[in-house]
Every structure is written in structure tokens, then in C-alpha cells.
Amino acid sequence: MKPHTLSILVENKAGVLSRVTGLFSRRGFNIESLAVGPCEEPGMSRITIVVIGDDAKVEQIMKQLNKLIDIIKVSDLTENERVERELALIKVTAEQGTSRAEIMQIATIFRASIVDVSPKSLVLQVIGETDKIDALEKLLRQYGVKEFVRTGTIGILRGSKLASGGK
Amino acid sequence: MKTGAKILVESLLREGTEIIFGYPGGVVLPIYDELYDSPLRHILVRHEQAAAHAADGYARASGRVGVCLATSGPGACNLVTGIATSYMDSTPLVAITGQVPTSLLGNDAFQESDITGITLPVTKHNYLLKSAGDVGRVVQEAFYIAGTGRPGPVLIDIPKDVSTGMAEDVKLPDKVTLRGYNPTYKGHKRQIEKALEMIGHAERPLIYAGGGIITSNASPELMEFATLSSIPVTTTLMGIGCIPCHHPLNLGMLGMHGTEYANFAVTECDLMIAIGARFDDRVTGRIETFAPHAKIIHIDIDPAEIGKNKRIDVPIVGDVKAVLKDVLTLMKKQGAHEVWLKKIKHWKQHHPLKCPTTGGLHPQFVIRTLSELVKDKAVIVSEVGQNQMWTAQHFCFHNPRSWITSGGLGTMGFGFPAGIGVHFARPDVPTFVIAGDGSIQMNIQEMGTVAANKIPVKIAILNNMYLGMVRQWQELFFDRRYSFTELPAVDFVKIGNAYGIEGMRIETPEEVLPAFQASLDCDGPFVMDFRIEREENVFPMVPAGAAINEMIGGHPR
């Protein structure tokens, strides 16, 4: 059982996301993370899904995904060298004159930026792999994380290789 | 300019549809108005589920796309079992449903149901139309998707304002292209060569033939391959008919209620060639002990079936017919396998299917009598349960598409309405429906349809006043605690008579043949109520979770 990052190129049409997620829920798979957005091809979208499962089960899901008419290409990025990123927004309690300086120091170490400041709180924006974001959130917990919002993972292959199959 | 409803009916005709099965209702009124003076034949069923099964039966018997039509909400929901049945057996079906107007979508409007959402996991694809201008293109795509690759059901949901909306005629392409749908038809040459090499070295090869051979119309190629290479063939429930029953290489059905010799052959073969089959649990029994000594070649059009349940040594993705043609071209030497075939012959002689003759009326005798009477001049449609297994075991099928049954979903209530569709696909031969007293009552209202349209379906009910297959399991595995499986006696002849259908009750073996003859002499539909031995079981049987050579009810080994 290991995480698999699946990159799925789909027609940008109503209902496609539920066709995709339905194949996971039917097999009792929990989707760890999900990101959807338009991509380089007009009329298409790319869905990135992270699931934890054994290789054979994930392979079966990929084959089933490939059978959906609105799906153009499915690839498992986990097989290759890749860059993966998430973005998180974290609202932390930070009263003036207390821990504010410490929080800002931590933000610097994580190369997070402060995107909102108010008398009682700060909002940090951080970009990185899942582990990095988990680590930052854990560190900030002692100050009081009021809200923690993160995107799904997105990924891209290193080098000139493409997830959509071309070169 | 034309209405969406008119474009729909024209598109169906353009696709070569000759008949649809349906049931009208509020939001499909514009479509029904177009049907009123259309050359497209429409059969009014008595329940929408029957419309889906009838269209499916038509598709299975003809190999063409079957079409059914229902209104929104309850009408559409009633199609679902039929659509799921088609999906599990990969049959080409286009289901058309009405929907509330687009302005009311998602409003919990009267008779609204999210049918595209509901049928998502049981359709090959589905569409919710938004404009009359899309109707022509979507119907063309739907037929293409339903009928090509691994076939399956496609649903088109048409809101009322799309049916009444106006659109210009759109010029449709001669050939549909969809960038996300490109089935592989031709097998990989190197893989085929690898398979042939393996076949050349095998001492105890076995062909495991599934419904894909029927779907792909590949029986002639299969027969040629099996005969040239002297490889015995066992068929799945869905594959029955791909090789004549009396052919010396035919081992009959394998699996839970397969023949002993087929299951022995599976267990002892050193090479299994799976063709258009999917290693279903009713076939394999305990999967680890299925074909334990064999290398496996798997030919299938659906790459998702390769390695799904069993590790495959040589996968060949492609249309079964195309692949077998290539196999025949590339095949250099012919096989003999004398020792293996001798062993199989021995098994066949010493482990035949049992046909009890003493006591009352036995269902096996009923099936065999029908088989001998009609020979290859009939299409047999079964319901689900004991009636289905007895027919699969004891009827001698000669041709593909002469055996129509719900395999994957195992839908009770499928057979009788499917038989209606079968009749329209094969009006040249009689259609017999073999039912149990349980399953016939799941769509018995269709007696209204066959009576009103004089559809000459012959209904043979093997009446044991039980839900027989469930009772059999209770007898064998639940200490004879017959929990809710006993059905009170029903006089099916009287029910038939009430609809205006002739019929006969049969209580002794002597009455069986005359009853079948009477059914053939009757121009219209005919009901036969066979009062069979109440606790007759289907044997041999592989208990759930056992290896397939661990059968009960067979001969001592």
C-alpha cells in the first residue's frame, strides 16, 4: 500500500468528475487529494488524484478509468521522477506582541508568505510537497491554527517527458 | 427547422432501428407524438423494466443495438435493472428517457430523477441533452459506443424542452470519432506468436470460451481453431452455443454448475486459452485453485479484464474474431493431444450429467424433451435460477445466439420480457422462455404485452412452488431451514387465460411432449405450467468458496 499520484486528462464536460470519483468509491478507495483545472489543451481538463492502494488495485482502477469515454489519458506519475506541489493557506492566532515574531520566523524558514495580517491573526501561504505542508501545520499548531485550507496535490514529470504521452 | 423529438425519431431510423420497446408518460409525450405516424415500430410493454429487457433480448438475439424508451422519474428508474443487466453481459443497448424541462432540473420537479447520476455505474456512457441541436449527434455517438468495442448500454436523457425545441438539421459525419474512445481490434502479432508457441508445447491444452465469442460472432473461427489444434472447449454460461453441444471437443459448461468433465479438465490442463471470458467467481470457484497447473493465454477486447482476477501469462487485447483469424493465419502445425483427449473421453463416459427418470416429473426431462423436439430450430430464453441451470445443462444448443440468459447480474424477471425482444429479432423460429414459478412472477404482467400484440412466445414454467435455487442452498448449507422460499401454488394457465393466452398444465412425463407440440401448433403465445418434483436440485454443484473439482452431486471418482 503506497500513495499513487494519478494524472488524468479528461474532456471538460459536466459530470466527468463524478464518473471518475465513482470508480474509486465503488471499490472502497478513499481519495486522499484531488485537484482539477483546465490544461494545455482547449476543451480538456486535468484531474490529479492521490490514492493509497496496492499496485494491482490501482492498476485495475486506471484500466477502468481508461474505459470511460470522456477520459483521454491516465498516467501514474508515481512511476517516474516528478515534481509535486500543494498550496495551503493557514490562519494562525497571533496577538500583537506575543508570538507574532516567532510565527514570522517559521514562515521564513518554510518559505511561506504572509498574505494577510490582522490584529489577532496572520494568514500564511505555503507551497510544497505534502510532507512540508504537514510539517508547517504541525509547528504552527502550538500558536493556534484557526483554519487550515489546502489544495489537492498537482504533479508534473521532470525532463521533457509528458504525462499525456507525447515527447 | 425540426423539433428535437422529430430529430430523435429520424436519427433512430438513420441508425437502422426497426423496433423500440417503451412506455409513455408526461415528458415523453412529444416523442410519442412523433412515433404515432412513424415507420418505427413501437411495442407497448406493461412495465418499463420489461422494455429494457426486451430491447436487450432483441440485441442478444440479433447482434444489433436494442432500443428502449421510458418517461422521466419512475419510468427511468424502472429501466435501471434492465440497463444493469445489459451492462453486466456487455450487450448493445440504447436507453432513451424523458426528463423534466432544463429549467426545472435539480428542482425536485414532478417525476424528476437524476437518471444519468443513477445509471453512471451501470452504463458504458450516458448523456443529459441540453439542446435540440445535439440530438442527432448524440444518438449517432450512442449507437456507436453501445455497439462497438466491448458493447454496453448507453442512456440518453432528454429534457422535455429539448424534445419540443427546434433545431436545424445537422450534417453528421459518416464515421464517429471520439478522442477518448478507441477500442483495440487487432491483436499484437508478437503476442499471438508467443501464444502459438505455448500452444505448440502444451500437452493438455483447454479452451475456456466466453460470451465474447458470441458477441464477436467468432464461432466459426473458434471451431476452426479448436478442430485444427485438437483442443477441447469448455464454455461459460454466456458462451453456450459457440460450439455445438454434440461436438466431440465440447465439454459443456464449466464452473459452479458445470459438467464434472469440464471442471476436471480445468483442474488438470497445462495450458488454458481464455477467449472472451472474464474469470467470473461463478466460473472459477476458489480462484487460487482454478487451473492450478496451467499457463494462461487471455484474449479479450477489454484490457481491464486482463489480469483482473487471475495472473495471465500471455495477454492478447483485441477483438476475439480478429485475433482468432490471425491465430489461424499464423498457425503452422496442427495439434493431436491424443492422451489428453482420451482422458477427457473417459471422464465424459463416466461422469455424464444425471437425468433422473424415476418418480414424478423431472425438469431435466422437460428440457431434454424440448431439446429433442425443436433441435436447432428455436431460440431458448431462460429466467434465472434452477430453470436456467437445468436448461444450460440439458438443452443441446447448436448455434450461437440461440441461448439468451442473464449471466452477470442474474436478473430474475429478465427471461420473459427478453423473449419478447428475441421474437422480433428471430421471427423465423419459435422463442421458448424457460422460467421458474418465482421468476415468471417478476414480470408476469408482460402476458398483457404478448397477448395484445399476438407475440408467439412459448412460456414453459418449471413450477416447484419454491424459489428453487435459494431453497437448494438452504437445503444444502442452512440445514433445510426454508426461510421464505416457499411460494403458494399459482394456476398459471388461468392467469394466461385471463389475458387471453392459451395454456396447459403438465403433471406427468407423458404429457410433456404433447404440451410442447400444442405450444408449437398454437399461433400465439402459450403457457405451460409444468408441475415438477418440488425438491429437485441442480447437480453437480461446486459449493461457494470450494475448488471447482470439489463438486457435490456428481459421480464417484
Side-chain angles (χ1 to χ4, degrees):
Chain A
M1 298 276 271
K2 64 169 197 223
H4 290 259
T5 306
L6 306 182
S7 182
I8 309 163
L9 192 63
V10 303
E11 298 279 359
N12 187 0
K13 283 185 186 165
V16 174
L17 186 61
S18 51
R19 290 180 201 278
V20 169
T21 54
L23 287 181
F24 288 87
S25 56
R26 178 181 170 191
R27 289 172 176 76
F29 270 79
N30 183 33
I31 293 176
E32 300 294 320
S33 122
L34 172 72
V36 192
C39 65
E40 69 280 357
E41 289 283 343
M44 294 188 197
S45 290
R46 180 168 280 111
I47 300 176
T48 312
I49 286 181
V50 179
V51 284
I52 296 173
D54 68 54
D55 292 356
K57 284 221 167 111
V58 172
E59 194 196 329
Q60 175 60 210
I61 285 203
M62 287 177 64
K63 285 176 168 178
Q64 295 293 343
L65 284 168
N66 259 317
K67 284 169 69 173
L68 295 177
I69 310 293
D70 285 338
I71 277 170
I72 294 149
K73 171 88 186 169
V74 184
S75 41
D76 186 352
L77 302 182
T78 325
E79 306 296 315
N80 295 285
E81 285 289 307
R82 66 198 183 277
V83 180
E84 281 189 12
R85 292 292 180 267
E86 284 179 37
L87 182 146
L89 296 170
I90 312 169
K91 188 173 284 181
V92 194
T93 310
E95 304 260 347
Q96 265 163 351
T98 56
S99 47
R100 199 170 270 251
E102 276 177 43
I103 293 169
M104 288 168 76
Q105 261 179 0
I106 292 171
T108 312
I109 296 165
F110 277 83
R111 281 194 256 172
S113 41
I114 314 285
V115 292
D116 183 66
V117 183
S118 79
K120 290 187 175 167
S121 67
L122 292 173
V123 175
L124 275 67
Q125 170 190 296
V126 61
I127 296 169
E129 291 188 8
T130 308
D131 292 353
K132 175 179 165 181
I133 289 165
D134 288 346
L136 175 59
E137 191 263 343
K138 207 170 150 196
L139 268 177
L140 293 174
R141 225 179 273 161
Q142 54 181 313
Y143 308 106
V145 171
K146 292 158 74 130
E147 223 165 32
F148 178 42
V149 185
R150 69 203 282 181
T151 64
T153 300
I154 52 167
I156 201 160
L157 296 180
R158 289 187 186 274
S160 52
K161 220 172 153 191
L162 301 177
S164 47
K167 285 265 156 97
Chain B
M1 298 282 268
K2 288 174 185 166
T3 63
K6 191 170 181 64
I7 299 172
L8 172 70
V9 173
E10 287 179 359
S11 305
L12 291 173
L13 289 167
R14 182 182 189 268
E15 294 298 331
T17 311
E18 51 180 19
I19 190 165
I20 63 176
F21 304 89
Y23 204 100
V27 296
V28 287
L29 277 166
I31 298 171
Y32 269 87
D33 193 56
E34 280 302 327
L35 288 173
Y36 189 64
D37 42 19
S38 156
L40 191 55
R41 184 156 188 202
H42 175 278
I43 297 292
L44 173 68
V45 292
R46 297 297 179 268
H47 185 292
E48 289 90 348
Q49 185 190 344
H53 290 323
D56 189 355
Y58 173 86
R60 292 175 196 236
S62 67
R64 304 170 65 194
V65 177
V67 183
C68 59
L69 170 62
T71 192
S72 64
C77 287
N78 281 342
L79 291 180
V80 172
T81 305
I83 293 171
T85 304
S86 154
Y87 184 72
M88 287 289 271
D89 288 341
S90 309
T91 63
L93 180 78
V94 168
I96 297 162
T97 50
Q99 182 56 281
V100 301
T102 49
S103 57
L104 292 179
L105 277 176
N107 264 14
D108 303 324
F110 176 65
Q111 293 195 329
E112 179 183 5
S113 68
D114 172 15
I115 198 64
T116 49
I118 290 169
T119 58
L120 212 61
V122 293
T123 49
K124 187 170 171 187
H125 195 52
N126 63 24
Y127 294 90
L128 169 58
L129 287 180
K130 293 291 187 60
S131 121
D134 291 336
V135 174
R137 175 185 58 84
V138 164
V139 169
Q140 191 189 25
E141 280 181 21
F143 273 76
Y144 174 66
I145 293 169
T148 56
R150 179 179 184 173
V154 178
L155 179 134
I156 309 173
D157 199 20
I158 308 181
K160 189 176 182 186
D161 56 320
V162 172
S163 298
T164 53
M166 304 295 279
E168 297 285 356
D169 252 334
V170 188
K171 171 104 180 74
L172 293 173
D174 291 334
K175 198 175 169 295
V176 178
T177 41
L178 295 163
R179 52 188 173 184
Y181 178 66
N182 298 294
T184 307
Y185 292 102
K186 202 164 164 52
H188 196 279
K189 193 176 170 211
R190 182 72 203 101
Q191 292 294 94
I192 294 174
E193 285 168 349
K194 235 195 248 177
L196 280 169
E197 210 178 296
M198 236 177 215
I199 293 166
H201 289 124
E203 286 173 7
R204 301 182 307 279
L206 176 68
I207 294 170
Y208 154 40
I213 292 169
I214 311 281
T215 306
S216 169
N217 298 316
S219 292
E221 288 78 9
L222 172 85
M223 294 276 295
E224 197 179 339
F225 170 58
T227 318
L228 285 178
S229 54
S230 306
I231 303 181
V233 181
T234 176
T235 64
T236 66
L237 179 70
M238 301 305 293
I240 289 175
C242 72
I243 175 168
C245 60
H246 50 67
H247 194 286
L249 288 171
N250 188 1
L251 301 183
M253 183 168 73
L254 79 168
M256 184 171 273
H257 291 295
T259 62
E260 289 180 86
Y261 34 95
N263 287 351
F264 294 159
V266 168
T267 307
E268 295 204 10
C269 69
D270 66 351
L271 177 68
M272 171 172 269
I273 308 156
I275 310 177
R278 59 185 180 90
F279 297 85
D280 177 72
D281 53 274
R282 283 296 189 268
V283 160
T284 63
R286 193 163 71 242
I287 190 85
E288 299 79 22
T289 51
F290 183 73
H293 310 298
K295 295 247 188 240
I296 304 179
I297 298 165
H298 191 183
I299 307 172
D300 204 287
I301 196 160
D302 182 358
E305 288 302 339
I306 309 279
K308 187 177 82 175
N309 297 329
K310 190 88 184 159
R311 208 185 63 79
I312 302 302
D313 298 283
V314 181
I316 303 173
V317 175
D319 171 50
V320 163
K321 191 181 183 83
V323 172
L324 284 176
K325 274 187 171 162
D326 287 346
V327 166
L328 289 168
T329 315
L330 294 168
M331 202 160 84
K332 289 191 191 80
K333 61 170 192 179
Q334 306 187 349
H337 315 300
E338 278 132 12
V339 182
W340 175 231
L341 292 178
K342 218 174 129 190
K343 192 166 195 180
I344 282 170
K345 200 173 168 191
H346 176 85
W347 285 333
K348 271 180 140 177
Q349 274 167 356
H350 292 87
H351 299 267
L353 285 168
K354 292 178 184 170
C355 186
T357 45
T358 52
L361 184 56
H362 295 282
Q364 298 92 331
F365 171 78
V366 174
I367 300 299
R368 287 188 181 201
T369 305
L370 176 63
S371 184
E372 278 158 31
L373 175 67
V374 298
K375 302 204 169 61
D376 61 345
K377 303 272 183 303
V379 181
I380 308 298
V381 191
S382 85
E383 287 286 353
V384 165
Q386 288 184 318
N387 64 82
Q388 177 185 35
M389 291 300 129
W390 284 319
T391 312
Q393 289 180 337
H394 295 279
F395 194 95
C396 179
F397 290 96
H398 298 74
N399 296 305
R401 301 192 190 278
S402 63
W403 161 239
I404 310 289
T405 198
S406 163
L409 198 66
T411 308
M412 286 173 70
F414 165 84
F416 179 28
I420 294 172
V422 167
H423 164 71
F424 288 103
R426 293 293 309 279
D428 54 316
V429 289
T431 299
F432 279 87
V433 172
I434 311 293
D437 52 317
S439 44
I440 193 67
Q441 292 187 75
M442 281 209 181
N443 269 318
I444 199 162
Q445 78 286 345
E446 296 311 312
M447 284 191 177
T449 307
V450 296
N453 295 282
K454 301 195 169 51
I455 299 168
V457 169
K458 316 299 177 190
I459 310 155
I461 303 165
L462 303 177
N463 186 352
N464 53 13
M465 290 177 255
Y466 277 119
L467 297 173
M469 186 59 94
V470 183
R471 186 212 55 77
Q472 175 172 340
W473 282 57
Q474 288 171 336
E475 176 188 333
L476 297 171
F477 311 118
F478 291 87
D479 204 19
R480 298 183 69 99
R481 287 157 56 86
Y482 294 162
S483 180
F484 301 100
T485 40
E486 189 161 9
L487 299 174
V490 175
D491 188 337
F492 290 107
V493 175
K494 270 192 181 159
I495 294 186
N497 290 162
Y499 279 102
I501 300 172
E502 285 181 51
M504 211 178 255
R505 181 189 293 183
I506 302 95
E507 285 165 320
T508 64
E510 295 72 40
E511 295 169 319
V512 174
L513 186 60
F516 280 128
Q517 236 135 17
S519 79
L520 287 171
D521 292 341
C522 170
D523 289 338
F526 197 86
V527 176
M528 288 156 277
D529 184 356
F530 293 96
R531 299 299 173 101
I532 60 165
E533 280 288 321
R534 292 199 67 201
E535 301 204 8
E536 187 85 51
N537 286 330
V538 179
F539 284 135
M541 178 185 192
V542 178
I548 64 164
N549 60 339
E550 296 165 3
M551 282 163 285
I552 53 176
H555 301 266
R557 226 179 151 173

